[in-house]
């Protein structure tokens, strides 16, 4: 209920801002003419058909703050008042997402139900508001880490817990069950039949159940085992330890050591020895693949050779490593890094300088005859560019967030446009658009026309129906086939292509 109120309230604010600026989105749509790609009343609003001429025009107001567009698939809707409220609706599935000052507030609606979170610390999920599914889908409430509650009719693992007072939760945190009372005074966990009681955590531990047994007094001494499976013990943790697994196999896996003086491990087809852990040592594997490695001052100086793996590291000066499907070079770490990766018929190269200050990623199909390359580049915090190799391209200046969060769609939608002093969009080889100062200045081209705008002050269009105008038609020139260019006064309403001009 609170979320719905906030959404409607923000929408009213956005509409009032449009009215106060002298126009709304509806007014822009009424003024749009068929022969024009754009109606520019910046900052009151910009109404453009450039991105998808076959769909509803994209609309924006107050620079990048208020926006509405159908993207990326037909029928999908994006709209909002950045960064206070950003909404996405997918036509194919009906899924809906709302972001408010992301990552402060996030709301998602899918076929499985509703979910919202505040900083991922307060999280609530609810089943669809449907009589059929309301009592068959899980629901949960979390005030992390104080209050955890879940109801799941299908699995029957309902719980309600208050940390650290009392809790009994199931199928969470990698455990089948976790109970506690006045944590850390008492804790009990279950996993695959193994029960660990800790009173208090983590000092005294008792292990039992399903053949497991053990007793530990951390950090002084501990031992746990299961016949035919494993034996583990430690003393003065983490200094001394012994770990033997797969006791039912002819050659078990063994690990032992007293750190930092010595550590070793061995098993079927491999063995490692380390001295003055973790700096010096060697490892050798013969099965299933052959590989040997020597550490002179790990992780700085490492030499490794094998059938499918190669390491030659003299950090921070130079490093070269190769695995089955990838090859990587470092020079003057972390100054320069280059990596090549094979991905099931695709080849990808990734080049970085100082991690994200400069990054260029290229991807193409192995053996592709036309040589099409998809590429993404970042020069932090100045520039980001994307191209899909099929004629679509985008360039943005400034771009401080994209290099740091390259795969975060919520950041890209909520914040990246706020920094876009300049943006270039290309949808085909002969179709592109330049935008400066959040559409104050725009220039676009298609195969049969060119069009430019300086807000509502000046505009020009070349093509079958040409036009140059000052103050949206106070004075200017227009062009019609068969009569050439002629001046006009007070022609604010655009004429349709078949309008007769004497």
């Amino acid at each position: 209920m609170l979320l719905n109120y906030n959404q409607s309230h923000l929408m009213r604010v956005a509409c009032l801002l449009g009215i106060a600026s002298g126009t709304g989105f509806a007014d822009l749509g009424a003024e749009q003419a068929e022969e024009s790609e754009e109606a520019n009343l910046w900052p009151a609003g910009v109404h453009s058909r450039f991105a998808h001429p076959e769909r509803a025009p994209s609309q924006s107001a107050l620079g990048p703050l208020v926006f509405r567009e159908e993207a990326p698939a037909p029928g999908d809707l994006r709209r909002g008042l950045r960064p206070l409220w950003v909404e996405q609706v997918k036509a194919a599935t009906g899924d809906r997402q709302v972001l408010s000052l992301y990552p402060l507030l996030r709301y998602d609606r899918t076929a499985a139900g509703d979910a919202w979170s505040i900083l991922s610390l307060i999280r609530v999920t609810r089943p669809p508001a449907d009589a059929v599914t309301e009592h068959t889908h899980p629901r949960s409430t979390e005030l992390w880490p104080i209050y955890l509650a879940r109801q799941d009719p299908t699995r029957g693992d309902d719980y309600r817990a208050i940390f650290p007072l009392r809790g009994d939760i199931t199928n969470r945190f990698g455990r089948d069950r976790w109970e506690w009372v006045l944590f850390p005074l008492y804790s009990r966990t279950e996993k695959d039949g193994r029960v660990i009681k800790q009173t208090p955590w983590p000092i005294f531990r008792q292990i039992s159940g399903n053949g497991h047994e053990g007793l530990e007094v951390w950090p002084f001494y501990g031992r746990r085992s299961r016949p035919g499976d494993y034996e583990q013990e430690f003393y003065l943790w983490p200094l001394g330890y012994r770990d033997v697994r797969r006791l039912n196999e002819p050659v078990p896996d063994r690990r032992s050591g007293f750190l930092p003086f010595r550590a070793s491990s061995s098993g079927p087809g491999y063995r490692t020895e380390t001295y003055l852990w973790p700096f010096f040592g060697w490892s050798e594997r013969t099965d299933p693949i052959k590989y040997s490695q020597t550490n002179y001052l790990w992780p700085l100086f490492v030499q490794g050779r094998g059938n499918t793996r190669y390491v030659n590291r003299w950090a921070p000066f130079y490093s070269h490593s190769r695995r089955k499907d990838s090859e990587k070079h470092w020079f003057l770490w972390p100054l320069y890094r280059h990596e090549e990766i094979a991905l099931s018929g695709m080849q990808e190269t990734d080049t970085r300088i100082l991690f994200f200050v400069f990054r260029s990623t290229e991807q193409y199909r192995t053996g592709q005859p036309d040589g099409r390359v998809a590429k993404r580049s970042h020069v932090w915090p100045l520039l980001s560019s994307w191209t899909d190799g099929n004629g679509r391209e985008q360039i943005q200046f400034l771009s401080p967030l994209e290099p740091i969060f390259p795969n975060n769609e919520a950041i890209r939608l909520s914040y990246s446009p706020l920094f876009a002093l300049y943006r270039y969009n290309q949808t085909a080889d002969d179709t592109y658009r330049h935008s400066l100062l959040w559409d104050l200045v725009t220039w676009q081209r298609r195969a049969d026309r060119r069009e430019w705008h300086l807000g509502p002050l000046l505009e020009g269009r070349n093509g079958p129906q040409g036009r140059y105008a000052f103050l949206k038609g106070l004075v200017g020139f227009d062009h019609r086939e068969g009569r050439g260019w002629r001046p006009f006064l007070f022609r604010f309403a655009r004429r349709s292509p078949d309008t007769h001009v004497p």
Side-chain angles (χ1 to χ4, degrees):
M1 193 70 172
L2 176 63
L3 185 64
N4 292 335
Y5 170 79
N6 287 341
Q7 292 171 2
S8 60
H9 178 67
L10 288 172
M11 192 60 182
R12 287 194 295 269
V13 171
C15 293
L16 288 173
L17 289 172
I19 295 172
S21 302
T23 184
F25 282 159
D27 299 324
L28 285 171
E31 191 175 336
Q32 182 76 22
E34 293 183 359
E35 71 271 17
S36 177
E37 294 289 338
E38 180 177 305
N40 194 317
L41 296 175
W42 192 95
V46 178
H47 188 102
S48 176
R49 294 182 180 271
F50 171 79
H52 302 285
E54 71 282 1
R55 305 181 198 169
S58 63
Q59 302 162 337
S60 64
L62 300 179
L65 298 182
V66 182
F67 73 101
R68 185 184 190 279
E69 62 183 10
E70 289 189 9
D76 289 0
L77 178 63
R78 294 176 174 178
R79 60 184 176 183
L81 173 62
R82 292 186 178 101
L84 294 178
W85 170 61
V86 174
E87 180 184 17
Q88 298 186 80
V89 179
K90 294 186 178 297
T93 60
D95 293 352
R96 179 169 174 247
Q97 181 184 84
V98 176
L99 307 170
S100 179
L101 293 175
Y102 176 85
L104 177 62
L105 175 64
R106 175 170 177 165
Y107 168 80
D108 292 274
R109 171 173 289 179
T110 65
D114 298 348
W116 64 270
S117 70
I118 298 177
L119 291 174
S120 295
L121 298 177
I122 302 176
R123 298 187 294 229
V124 177
T125 62
R126 291 291 182 266
D130 183 273
V132 177
T133 62
E134 186 176 5
H135 302 291
T136 61
H137 283 60
R139 63 177 65 206
S140 65
T141 303
E142 297 183 3
L143 175 58
W144 188 262
I146 306 301
Y147 178 77
L148 306 173
R150 177 183 173 92
Q151 292 178 291
D152 192 342
T154 62
R155 299 171 58 176
D157 56 354
D158 299 355
Y159 59 79
R160 184 173 286 106
I162 300 177
F163 188 87
L165 300 180
R166 179 71 175 93
D168 186 356
I169 63 178
T170 55
N171 298 313
R172 291 290 303 272
F173 311 112
R175 299 291 184 267
D176 298 333
R177 189 173 185 178
W178 181 21
E179 301 176 69
W180 70 83
V181 177
L182 297 177
F183 186 88
L185 294 183
Y186 174 80
S187 172
R188 182 182 183 274
T189 62
E190 294 183 22
K191 177 66 175 180
D192 297 329
R194 180 175 64 181
V195 178
I196 301 178
K197 295 181 180 179
Q198 305 179 81
T199 54
W201 177 93
I203 298 175
F204 296 102
R205 297 178 183 175
Q206 181 182 1
I207 299 95
S208 62
N210 196 22
H212 300 272
E213 58 181 19
L215 184 64
E216 299 176 357
V217 182
W218 184 87
F220 304 106
Y221 178 79
R223 189 179 188 279
R224 62 176 69 182
S225 64
R226 184 165 72 165
D229 188 4
Y230 70 90
E231 292 180 359
Q232 298 173 328
E233 64 177 333
F234 68 84
Y235 39 94
L236 297 178
W237 186 95
L239 302 182
Y241 65 93
R242 185 180 69 89
D243 186 352
V244 184
R245 307 192 181 208
R246 304 203 310 170
L247 288 172
N248 58 339
E249 299 291 333
V251 181
D253 292 314
R254 300 178 182 274
R255 298 173 58 249
S256 64
F258 189 78
L259 305 180
F261 304 105
R262 181 178 180 273
S264 67
S265 62
S266 64
Y270 76 91
R271 183 175 180 179
T272 67
E273 293 284 345
T274 304
Y275 306 96
L276 292 179
W277 182 90
F279 301 116
F280 304 97
W282 57 269
S283 64
E284 185 172 2
R285 176 176 288 277
T286 58
D287 184 52
I289 58 174
K290 187 176 181 180
Y291 178 75
S292 61
Q293 178 173 303
T294 303
N295 303 329
Y296 299 102
L297 188 59
W298 188 90
L300 300 180
F301 307 136
V302 177
Q303 303 292 293
R305 303 291 186 271
N307 294 338
T308 60
R309 188 180 178 188
Y310 171 93
V311 177
N312 187 28
R313 184 187 308 158
W314 301 101
F317 310 104
Y318 171 76
S319 177
H320 176 205
S321 62
R322 182 173 62 244
R323 294 180 179 269
K324 182 178 179 180
D325 299 321
S326 65
E327 186 170 7
K328 185 189 304 181
H329 289 84
W330 279 100
F331 296 94
L332 296 176
W333 184 93
L335 179 62
Y336 177 85
R337 175 185 182 271
H338 178 80
E339 183 176 14
E340 297 183 5
I341 307 172
L343 303 168
S344 60
M346 302 291 293
Q347 190 74 21
E348 181 177 297
T349 63
D350 184 66
T351 302
R352 306 188 193 190
I353 295 177
L354 294 174
F355 295 113
F356 60 81
V357 172
F358 171 83
R359 183 175 183 181
S360 177
T361 304
E362 297 183 1
Q363 191 177 88
Y364 57 91
R365 289 196 175 276
T366 305
Q368 185 169 267
D370 56 8
R372 289 182 295 176
V373 177
K375 184 176 182 180
R376 180 174 58 188
S377 300
H378 303 286
V379 181
W380 183 84
L382 302 177
L383 188 71
S384 290
S385 66
W386 305 262
T387 176
D388 65 354
N390 295 310
R392 299 183 63 89
E393 183 177 357
Q394 185 180 97
I395 300 173
Q396 177 173 315
F397 174 90
L398 301 158
S399 183
L401 299 179
E402 289 287 342
I404 303 174
F405 307 98
N407 300 311
N408 192 317
E409 184 63 25
I411 292 289
R412 179 175 295 120
L413 185 61
S414 299
Y415 296 104
S416 288
L418 302 179
F419 300 93
L421 298 182
Y422 166 79
R423 177 169 284 186
Y424 170 82
N425 284 283
Q426 177 177 309
T427 57
D429 291 339
D430 58 354
T431 304
Y432 50 83
R433 181 177 188 263
H434 301 266
S435 168
L436 184 63
L437 296 177
W438 303 284
D439 288 345
L440 169 62
V441 181
T442 64
W443 189 89
Q444 54 189 319
R445 174 180 176 175
R446 293 189 182 276
D448 60 343
R449 72 180 67 189
R450 296 178 181 86
E451 184 172 343
W452 58 267
H453 296 262
L454 176 57
L457 185 63
L458 294 171
E459 64 180 71
R461 183 175 64 251
N462 290 332
Q465 309 296 332
R467 173 184 172 94
Y468 292 93
F470 174 70
L471 289 179
K472 310 304 292 182
L474 178 66
V475 62
F477 295 85
D478 62 7
H479 177 271
R480 295 291 183 268
E481 294 183 3
R483 69 168 183 84
W485 290 91
R486 292 188 180 182
F488 63 80
L489 290 172
F490 306 111
R491 188 176 296 166
F492 299 103
R494 294 186 177 91
R495 298 179 183 274
S496 61
D498 57 353
T499 300
H500 175 68
V501 179

